[in-house]
Amino acid sequence: MSDQTNSAWGGRFAEATHQFVAEFTASVGFDRRMYRQDIQGSIAHATMLAAVGVLSETEKQQIVSGLQEILVEIEEGRFNWRVELEDVHMNIESALTEKIGLVGKKLHTGRSRNDQVATDIRLYLRDQTDVIAAELKRLQSGLIELAASNTDTIMPGFTHLQTAQPVTFGHHLLAWNEMLQRDSERLQDCRKRVNIMPLGAAALAGTTYPIDRAITAELLGFDGPSENSLDSVSDRDFAIEFASVASLIMMHLSRMSEELVLWTSAQFDFVSLPDRFCTGSSIMPQKKNPDVPELVRGKSGRIFGHLVGLLTLMKSQPLAYNKDNQEDKEPLFDTIDHLWGSLHAFAEMVPHISPKKEKMREAALRGFSTATDLADYLVKKGMPFRDAHEVVGKSVAYGIETGKDLGQMSLTELQRFSDLIIEDVFDVLTLEGSVGARDHLGGTAPTQVAAAAERARKRLE
Ligand code: ARG
């Protein structure tokens, strides 16, 4: 055996790995970010091995304190990561053996890198899920508070991006919050399937040592050990599921971004964003660009890409572990990083969105947004809805011709279209009358929006 071969598996090899192959197959460049979980998993594994008598108490102590020293070295930037040791697992194990001698080599008893890596990713993803969930909650809280202070701020509601009916700004913001609430529930649901322990599956078939998987699961805070060793080391569906939850969150953030981009334009001019969330143009001095929403909208693309990438990575793999799975980490890590970044940016920005109430109101006054209210008014006076639709259509045509919105017409003008119209029509043609009349659970009336914001607050607790 050449002393150039890998000490962890080089026994049956007659020549050293080609330099390029060593670099090409190494993952330490990116999987080292799971060092904390790797050490945590190893400490739990050694503790369990001692509990069942495979390691002595002294051996366990040596391993645990060696690993703790390594943890400190890594955190202080004193650890020497070596590409020739392939991945985070072998880097740490080799450092342990250098530190405590032969006992270090006993750590891997009853374990394989296959169940080790599956355990590390799950621990890492579980930790990151909690960090992301906290950021999502912070964003939701900001949205709810902004909604609560805008329960009676009137803006146009849109369908087909054409003015449809007046709504309140608070109602619109709470629509965003509902999307995020479902995302948050999906994230928690995904976490349940992430938090299952593969350790003990060893390479693929389990191990001949008398391991007690319940002990390791408990030590690592898993909900329990996995059922099947082949499945445990091979499937990465939990990462795909996370990427799918992440994609839905990004899709929602992208929709919000699109609206913010529209609303900050001179054409809409509904809201302003603080300068610190925008940037200027090096050529056009007047510009204030909504970069944060634009970038978040753009980042949704890369995350959808990771979802498709991970699905494709998994789709043709025979049982059990294949090296293909090493490719799960970069897309997963990138998804975590950019999802967190996008949520963080939004959580910081949303409380400072300032509505331009007058502009929103003016826009709602334009575009015949109370036309449906006039039709409903005629129906309540006995006219069949289809006829009422026709009558209002005619009055809108008249409004377009004369440049007047419905609420700006005189009673005599309105009466040209139906004699059912009397003085009280102006109660429904005002914006306040229109939103206030939608007074039921889920409706846009200010009292309903206030109650909905209160319920949303409670649900978030
Ligand atoms: N770096 C590998 C990965 O990320 C660790 C597991 C490798 N196992 C093996 N038998 N080659 O998947």
Side-chain angles (χ1 to χ4, degrees), residues 139-156:
L139 166 57
Q140 283 190 268
S141 168
L143 278 176
I144 295 167
E145 294 320 309
L146 189 61
S149 49
N150 283 284
T151 55
D152 55 4
T153 305
I154 295 180
M155 66 181 282

Side-chain angles (χ1 to χ4, degrees), residues 374-401:
L374 180 56
D376 290 343
Y377 169 89
L378 292 168
V379 169
K380 284 173 193 154
K381 303 244 167 190
M383 188 182 286
F385 184 78
R386 282 292 153 221
D387 294 342
H389 189 286
E390 175 74 13
V391 165
V392 180
K394 293 215 161 89
S395 50
V396 166
Y398 171 78
I400 293 168
E401 211 176 287

